[in-house]
Amino acid sequence: MDVMNDMNMVSNPEFSLAMLADAVGSNTKYVSWTINETYGKNFKTVLNEARVREACRRLADREHYANQTMQALYESVGYTNSTSFIRAFKKVNGMTPSEYQRARLRGSEP
């Protein structure tokens, strides 16, 4: 799903299953079914994973994002509050964004 790799769309806090269905020229029922069949996950899980992957990429890119605050980071990938971001990040990576960042700074791959 190329749309799910388009951070301009995915990072929109209002991005929804309906928006995805519209972007691919289908309906929500079919898109939801396709996501479940293809990935064994629901739309929200796939969306959170895409957003967290981008957050990890940005945390690793110190050249371009080193001065970005955690709030700026989570807002830039589509979250409206830190609680949702931290919960999703931990579910995907098994650690909080701060723990992830510390592990990267120590030079160990999280």
Side-chain angles (χ1 to χ4, degrees), residues 44 48 51-52 74 78-91 97:
K44 192 67 172 174
N48 280 328
R51 288 175 171 172
V52 168
Y74 72 70
Y79 291 94
T80 56
N81 66 71
S82 62
T83 303
S84 296
F85 173 62
I86 292 168
R87 184 180 305 122
F89 196 100
K90 190 166 186 174
K91 186 171 185 176

Side-chain angles (χ1 to χ4, degrees), residues 6 10 20 23 29 32 34 43 68 80 90 96 99 107 109:
D6 180 352
V10 173
L20 174 59
K29 188 172 182 174
S32 179
T34 301
F43 167 75
Q68 191 173 44
T80 56
K90 190 166 186 174
T96 67
E99 292 167 339
E109 277 298 310

Side-chain angles (χ1 to χ4, degrees), residues 22-105:
D22 187 53
V24 298
S26 190
N27 63 63
T28 56
K29 188 172 182 174
Y30 180 73
V31 171
S32 179
W33 177 85
T34 301
I35 289 170
N36 282 298
E37 285 295 308
T38 304
Y39 301 104
K41 302 171 185 173
N42 65 28
F43 167 75
K44 192 67 172 174
T45 299
V46 171
L47 176 61
N48 280 328
E49 288 175 353
R51 288 175 171 172
V52 168
R53 256 193 324 275
E54 179 63 14
C56 289
R57 187 190 71 73
R58 292 179 184 192
L59 285 169
D61 185 353
R62 302 210 29 87
E63 181 180 340
H64 295 102
Y65 298 99
N67 295 326
Q68 191 173 44
T69 65
M70 199 56 70
Q71 180 177 356
L73 173 67
Y74 72 70
E75 287 177 350
S76 73
V77 295
Y79 291 94
T80 56
N81 66 71
S82 62
T83 303
S84 296
F85 173 62
I86 292 168
R87 184 180 305 122
F89 196 100
K90 190 166 186 174
K91 186 171 185 176
V92 171
N93 291 314
M95 63 181 78
T96 67
S98 297
E99 292 167 339
Y100 181 90
Q101 202 169 28
R102 279 193 297 274
R104 291 205 54 84
L105 289 174

